Amino acid sequence: MTDAYASWGHYPKLPQRAVALSWRDQGWPAIAGEVLPRGNGRSYGDSCLADGGTLLDVRGLDRFIAFDPSTGRLACEAGVLLGDILELTVPKGWFLAVTPGTRLVTVGGAIANDVHGKNHHRRGSFGNHVLRFELLRSDGRRILCGPDLEPDWFCSTVGGLGLTGLVTWAELQLIRVEGPWLDVETLRFPDLDAFFALAAESDRSHDYTVAWIDCLARGQDLGRGLFMRANHAPTPSGKHEAPRGARRVPFTPPVSPVNRLTLRAFNELYYRFPRSRHSIQHYLTYFYPLDSILDWNRLYGQRGFVQYQCVVPPGSAPAALRRILDLIAADGQGSFLSVLKLFGTMPGCGLLSFPRPGATLALDFPFRGEPTLGLLDRLDRVVMDAGGGVYPAKDARMSGEVFGRTFPDWEKLESMRDPKVMSAFWRRVTLDARR
Amino acid sequence: MRKVLIVGATSAIAQATARLLAARGDRLFLAARNLSRLEMVRQDLAARGAGSVEVMALDANDRSRHAALLAAAEQAMGGLDIVLVAHGVLPDQKACEASVDRTLADIETNALGVIALLTLVANRFEAGRAGVIAVISSVAGDRGRKSNYVYGAAKGMVSLFLQGLRNRLAGAGVQVLTIKPGFVDTPMTAGIAKGGPLWAKPEAIAAGILAAIEKGRDVVYLPWFWRPIMLIIRLIPERVFKQLSL
């Protein structure tokens, strides 16, 4: 039992034990009781935690199987990190079609959560670029899945939170790029209306769009922030250096430095900080700024933090976002990283894929017990009334009612779930949803 | 581009080392018992950029095939620059105490098979007046302890053999590198509770092996802090040491 298998948000804290897998041919491990496949543990809440069972640590399945630089098809084991793929393929002119905000996730985890990125409006989510994968069931069956190959198993496993069995390997379609560089534009916007206008315009001109917002701003400043849009760029002339190695937060401070005062100061300064509108950035800097601070989650202290990401449909988005930001600002529980983006219309291929048309807002809150949980419950109401949903990969607390209503296909996934697989998240939300 | 033979190529440390070699374009020849797992490692290293990768299923205890292995590796790669010997088992000390056969079998795998192979490699490199012999021994070979002296005795034999070999081959310009890892988080040590500052990842050990080869080192402790730790452990008088629970 070890803290090494805590979830990324360090909340909830459930004791975990794990068995490491090393070979994709080794078969279903002989373990009594329930298991849960686990990648690199970047899920924030309890979807990567076993509930009394045993984690299957998949990180030892970290071998490439084949990469064809003429077609951009890459096959690898499920424990390969997205960052390892980029290291191999970017020099040969290929990039992940979809990447989340950290490269420290496994391919298996990216499939299980059908992760999305700043280019959702162009490319959809991760599962849209998975050509096939192998699913190992606890009865020993190995099922080769693809969009046209066992589509039921494919759709329940993409976004299926690891519950349908163990993905042992996968084949991905990468996209062509000229090199590691991006042409990035950063624009300050004064309020939410300005965000929607900028997003609509930028989604036509740019592959990648995302905004940081100052979630503590109120009144006429509500929803102000910085809009970042980018396209892959040819290698620039002149001197541009790849970012240096990462630093690590060495320990978890007893008292978190993230508090009302530092949050307010940070948000104000970040908004005001003068920056040049155009820059050429390395993909590591642009996509993965937080990966350069290893173990940054420790900054939230011993009690950890909760991440909240919701999506609200286009029609109700402006009003719902205003209400959400109002509730947060009134509560004073700000977030360092408030990220806002418009999803596109490409449907996810998973039964439980989170992305859907509308605006998605991601926030993190230091965990303070009841006040934090109460605020998030109020946000859930707004999201549910707007017809939206909350992201399971980041959740540690939504009620079964919210989950059941916003992911109506959950019972289909339940019917495809491997009888030996269970997560703390799934037990929590489905017990509740059945009531 | 170096031509490298790796014996025990499916071990975690060997795989991590081979990835570093592949990334710089070296040609590789891999030997291990399990052919399907060798094939998985081969695919991985080919994708990572190895100049070439070929494999041969081999039980390192089968001494009759050692000469054929060296010949096949040399032929496949058009020469041989580095031999990395990485195979081995972590014996169950208690089971060994109860069984002479197990004790001898584990010593066979960890020591005699290694020595047999190295005898052939040494003659080849001595004749060619070049080459690198890198062998994964262990800090456990530095002093016998009750918790794993069967393993320690075998590794100690390997370390001593390498010391003599180094002395013999120094004049011929052949590097003999004794690698002494401490606790490494690998499938071999799956039965041990891990964690804490003494445990290292195979990737870190691999980087240390490569650096030691490049610098022409003789003996390397990995990570480095095992050198002072083992120095202290070796200095404890036997009269005291025999009372300790180590």
Side-chain angles (χ1 to χ4, degrees):
Chain A
M1 302 228 176
T2 156
D3 201 41
Y5 290 100
S7 71
W8 191 243
H10 281 262
Y11 172 83
K13 296 182 197 297
L14 304 173
Q16 300 290 309
R17 60 169 177 271
V19 167
L21 307 182
S22 308
W23 299 95
R24 64 179 183 269
D25 68 351
Q26 74 187 81
W28 192 267
I31 297 171
E34 293 166 346
V35 301
L36 178 69
R38 186 218 192 244
N40 209 27
R42 253 51 180 189
S43 292
Y44 289 79
D46 54 359
S47 64
C48 63
L49 298 178
D51 184 27
T54 306
L55 296 171
L56 303 180
D57 184 343
V58 183
R59 287 175 298 182
L61 304 184
D62 64 348
R63 296 174 198 86
F64 291 109
I65 297 171
F67 172 54
D68 183 347
S70 65
T71 61
R73 288 169 78 115
L74 175 122
C76 64
E77 293 178 346
V80 169
L81 298 179
L82 299 190
D84 293 336
I85 294 179
L86 293 173
E87 229 170 90
L88 179 76
T89 64
V90 171
K92 294 177 174 136
W94 294 94
F95 207 82
L96 291 163
V98 169
T99 175
T102 169
R103 67 190 193 284
L104 304 177
V105 299
T106 62
V107 168
I111 292 172
N113 294 289
D114 194 17
V115 298
H116 58 270
K118 300 175 172 78
N119 61 349
H120 185 271
H121 60 288
R122 291 273 170 95
R123 302 271 184 186
S125 47
F126 196 85
N128 293 116
H129 308 275
V130 174
L131 299 167
R132 52 193 183 133
F133 56 76
E134 181 185 73
L135 180 67
L136 173 63
R137 298 275 291 179
S138 62
D139 58 12
R141 254 190 314 162
R142 289 176 185 269
I143 308 171
L144 191 59
C145 307
D148 305 313
L149 199 68
E150 301 285 358
D152 286 350
W153 287 114
F154 185 78
C155 295
S156 54
T157 302
V158 170
L161 302 169
L163 298 165
T164 56
L166 175 72
V167 173
T168 56
W169 62 268
E171 188 175 28
L172 312 175
Q173 178 61 57
L174 308 181
I175 57 168
R176 266 261 177 240
V177 291
E178 291 181 72
W181 302 101
L182 290 117
D183 186 352
V184 185
E185 238 184 302
T186 307
L187 306 153
R188 201 175 280 150
F189 57 89
D191 54 35
L192 266 189
D193 290 336
F195 162 79
F196 281 104
L198 257 177
E201 168 204 321
S202 308
D203 283 358
R204 287 193 292 274
S205 54
H206 289 77
D207 284 341
Y208 301 98
T209 62
V210 72
W212 167 85
I213 56 166
D214 175 356
C215 67
L216 290 174
R218 305 186 69 169
Q220 63 178 37
D221 288 337
L222 185 92
R224 72 178 182 180
L226 302 169
F227 197 94
M228 286 152 268
R229 56 191 192 187
N231 284 315
H232 288 286
T235 299
S237 54
K239 207 172 164 217
H240 286 272
E241 278 178 24
R244 283 175 304 156
R247 288 157 186 268
R248 184 179 294 276
V249 178
F251 61 92
T252 306
V255 178
S256 167
V258 182
N259 57 44
R260 281 170 203 231
L261 210 65
T262 55
L263 276 172
R264 192 166 291 284
F266 171 82
N267 277 273
E268 185 70 31
L269 282 171
Y270 196 72
Y271 180 71
R272 301 264 170 223
F273 192 74
R275 56 192 87 224
S276 55
R277 177 166 166 170
H278 276 279
S279 60
I280 296 291
Q281 291 182 17
H282 193 271
Y283 77 86
L284 291 174
T285 313
Y286 178 71
F287 287 110
Y288 314 114
L290 278 174
D291 286 349
S292 63
I293 312 166
L294 298 173
D295 294 333
W296 61 264
N297 53 344
R298 287 176 171 170
L299 289 172
Y300 282 95
Q302 310 282 354
R303 297 188 74 180
F305 71 107
V306 283
Q307 164 101 190
Y308 187 82
Q309 183 170 354
C310 61
V311 57
V312 283
S316 47
L321 288 178
R322 240 174 229 115
R323 182 86 191 107
I324 288 170
L325 291 174
D326 263 337
L327 285 169
I328 295 167
D331 208 82
Q333 298 199 44
S335 153
F336 261 114
L337 293 162
S338 312
V339 175
L340 183 59
K341 163 158 185 70
L342 289 190
F343 278 145
T345 51
M346 190 188 292
C349 48
L351 278 179
L352 256 62
S353 289
F354 165 71
R356 51 193 89 174
T360 182
L361 176 67
L363 309 150
D364 42 41
F365 299 95
F367 186 70
R368 297 205 180 91
E370 274 313 314
T372 309
L373 296 172
L375 171 66
L376 299 184
D377 283 342
R378 292 197 290 282
L379 302 187
D380 279 352
R381 286 282 140 210
V382 180
V383 171
M384 215 162 41
D385 291 345
V390 177
Y391 195 3
K394 300 192 170 180
D395 182 67
R397 32 64 50 195
M398 81 166 111
S399 72
E401 185 206 346
V402 173
F403 177 70
R405 274 183 54 189
T406 56
F407 289 91
D409 282 338
W410 74 268
E411 281 176 297
K412 279 191 217 157
L413 176 57
E414 172 63 13
S415 72
M416 306 289 279
R417 180 171 66 83
D418 190 290
K420 286 206 68 175
V421 179
M422 179 54 81
S423 67
F425 171 85
W426 196 250
R427 178 150 290 143
R428 177 168 63 78
V429 295
T430 57
L431 269 185
D432 242 17
R434 278 210 188 87
R435 277 187 200 132
Chain B
M1 192 180 67
R2 315 284 286 272
K3 296 155 185 165
V4 188
L5 165 65
I6 304 180
V7 183
T10 53
S11 84
I13 293 176
Q15 285 186 72
T17 309
R19 286 180 181 182
L20 298 178
L21 300 171
R24 64 182 203 190
D26 284 1
R27 303 189 68 166
L28 305 171
F29 193 93
L30 314 176
R33 272 179 306 185
N34 187 321
L35 186 60
S36 71
R37 291 183 175 177
L38 261 180
E39 177 58 18
M40 294 180 208
V41 176
R42 189 195 65 75
Q43 290 171 334
D44 179 55
L45 298 172
R48 289 175 192 270
S52 67
V53 198
E54 293 190 52
V55 303
M56 182 170 174
L58 173 98
D59 183 341
N61 287 340
D62 184 357
R63 286 176 228 154
S64 68
R65 295 186 63 205
H66 285 177
L69 169 70
L70 294 184
E74 201 162 340
Q75 205 201 347
M77 297 187 287
L80 190 57
D81 301 319
I82 301 173
V83 174
L84 172 65
V85 179
H87 72 275
V89 291
L90 186 61
D92 179 335
Q93 172 68 29
K94 284 287 165 216
C96 286
E97 287 167 20
S99 160
V100 174
D101 286 345
R102 280 202 69 160
T103 300
L104 296 184
D106 287 337
I107 289 177
E108 170 86 32
T109 301
N110 285 331
L112 301 184
V114 176
I115 286 170
L117 178 66
L118 291 183
T119 301
L120 301 186
V121 175
N123 293 343
R124 205 168 271 249
F125 281 170
E126 189 179 39
R129 302 195 66 78
V132 178
I133 296 172
V135 182
I136 299 183
S137 183
S138 171
V139 294
D142 278 17
R143 192 156 192 180
R145 296 176 295 122
K146 69 177 175 186
S147 60
N148 71 346
Y149 63 82
V150 173
Y151 185 66
K155 290 300 192 182
M157 191 194 309
V158 169
S159 294
L160 208 57
F161 181 86
L162 292 171
Q163 196 172 42
L165 204 58
R166 182 180 306 118
N167 191 200
R168 170 187 151 200
L169 296 177
V174 176
Q175 182 191 356
V176 176
L177 173 64
T178 308
I179 302 154
K180 295 184 178 180
F183 302 141
V184 189
D185 182 1
T186 70
M188 188 175 91
T189 54
I192 306 171
K194 296 171 187 178
L198 292 182
W199 284 87
K201 292 281 177 200
E203 292 75 23
I205 304 298
I209 291 174
L210 227 64
I213 291 175
E214 292 311 311
K215 289 181 196 147
R217 299 274 298 275
D218 299 321
V219 180
V220 62
Y221 286 81
L222 294 172
W224 63 271
F225 53 73
W226 285 99
R227 185 181 288 273
I229 291 174
M230 295 317 295
L231 177 65
I232 292 164
I233 287 182
R234 282 200 312 274
L235 286 175
I236 300 170
E238 193 64 17
R239 160 168 60 76
V240 177
F241 197 81
K242 73 179 180 187
Q243 307 291 347
L244 301 179
S245 194
L246 284 167

